[in-house]
Amino acid sequence: MNKKIAVIVPAYNEELLIKKTIESIPGIADKIFIINDASTDNTESIIKDLGKSNKKIYLINNDKNSGVGFSIVAGYEKAYEMGYEVGVVMPGDAQALPVDFENLIEPVIKSESDYTKGNRLKFKGVSKIMPKHRFYGNTLLTLLTKFASGYYHIMDPQMGYTALNLKLVPELGLNKLIKRYGYPGHLLYLLNLIDAKVSDVNVEPHYGE
């Protein structure tokens, strides 16, 4: 890869899955920014322990629980500040599969897209894998987000597995981003305001842990 890749991992009370998440991150990632959102379990101590042997890990501790959107912005801004060029969000619950990593970042690496996001809804048999309430909820949100964001080709708007060209960080006005779970659709809206190129990348849905 000819660009410096940062992985951004928002984590809140993920003591059961944070180790698996970190160990699943492909070796092509240059840095791993983990944003601990004031977890009340052992998430922080597990990250610190893993950091003793994995020098790619960079831990950011939020002073108080501020939401996943807030944590992702903190990761984007620190990665941009330190000179990384692509920011890949992999949530701390180990649901972002490493097998999809290179396909997700390729359009950003090649400057074909400014932002890519995973799309689980085109995966064969997704309605049997994804919990029914999530499947139907995502289908409805897809329709609503198309109109709200202006990106009519985008599906599965709540998918948190994404890649961003970090040169856009100063332009996006990320201080305005919704701090909690409404952030994915709002980020698409902010991207549309600066005419960013956005694309879906088909990924495999993963649940059960």
Side-chain angles (χ1 to χ4, degrees):
M1 295 293 176
N2 59 356
K3 292 185 184 292
K4 293 175 67 179
I5 300 167
V7 172
I8 294 154
V9 181
Y12 174 66
N13 287 355
E14 293 289 1
E15 64 179 7
L16 298 179
L17 292 170
I18 192 63
K19 184 174 186 288
K20 180 176 181 179
T21 298
I22 293 168
E23 291 178 345
S24 76
I25 295 172
I28 58 173
D30 298 291
K31 200 73 174 176
I32 303 169
F33 293 91
I34 306 175
I35 301 84
N36 171 38
D37 195 17
S39 295
T40 57
D41 62 1
N42 292 318
T43 297
E44 181 180 353
S45 60
I46 292 169
I47 296 165
K48 285 181 174 178
D49 188 55
L50 292 170
K52 293 174 184 176
S53 57
N54 187 343
K55 300 307 177 185
K56 292 182 179 181
I57 292 174
Y58 188 108
L59 175 62
I60 299 171
N61 284 311
N62 292 342
D63 293 333
K64 62 180 182 178
N65 181 262
S66 301
V68 63
F70 181 94
S71 297
I72 289 170
V73 169
Y76 282 153
E77 290 179 340
K78 179 56 71 173
Y80 174 77
E81 176 189 318
M82 293 177 63
Y84 292 91
E85 296 164 283
V86 180
V88 184
V89 175
M90 296 181 73
D93 57 6
Q95 288 189 11
L97 298 178
V99 68
D100 296 312
F101 191 92
E102 291 196 35
N103 285 339
L104 186 74
I105 66 173
E106 185 177 8
V108 180
I109 294 288
K110 292 182 175 180
S111 300
E112 295 170 353
S113 288
D114 297 308
Y115 181 77
T116 56
K117 50 170 292 302
N119 175 17
R120 298 162 293 188
L121 298 182
K122 285 191 174 180
F123 189 84
K124 185 177 181 181
V126 63
S127 61
K128 296 179 181 178
I129 300 171
M130 185 180 288
K132 289 192 183 303
H133 68 284
R134 291 197 177 191
F135 177 74
Y136 293 116
N138 267 322
T139 302
L140 176 60
L141 279 170
T142 290
L143 180 62
L144 296 174
T145 303
K146 286 176 185 288
F147 291 102
S149 70
Y151 289 114
Y152 296 101
H153 60 289
I154 292 300
M155 299 176 66
D156 196 8
Q158 291 301 112
M159 179 53 165
Y161 197 3
T162 65
L164 174 70
N165 185 336
L166 291 173
K167 74 177 183 181
L168 299 182
V169 166
E171 303 175 52
L172 278 170
L174 290 171
N175 60 309
K176 302 173 186 174
L177 187 70
I178 290 172
K179 302 299 187 286
R180 296 192 181 272
Y181 284 98
Y183 84 89
H186 192 208
L187 181 53
L188 287 171
Y189 171 76
L190 294 176
L191 286 160
N192 193 36
L193 288 180
I194 63 169
D195 200 27
K197 293 179 289 185
V198 173
S199 59
D200 271 350
V201 174
N202 294 339
V203 299
E204 181 178 348
H206 175 62
Y207 294 93
E209 295 184 79

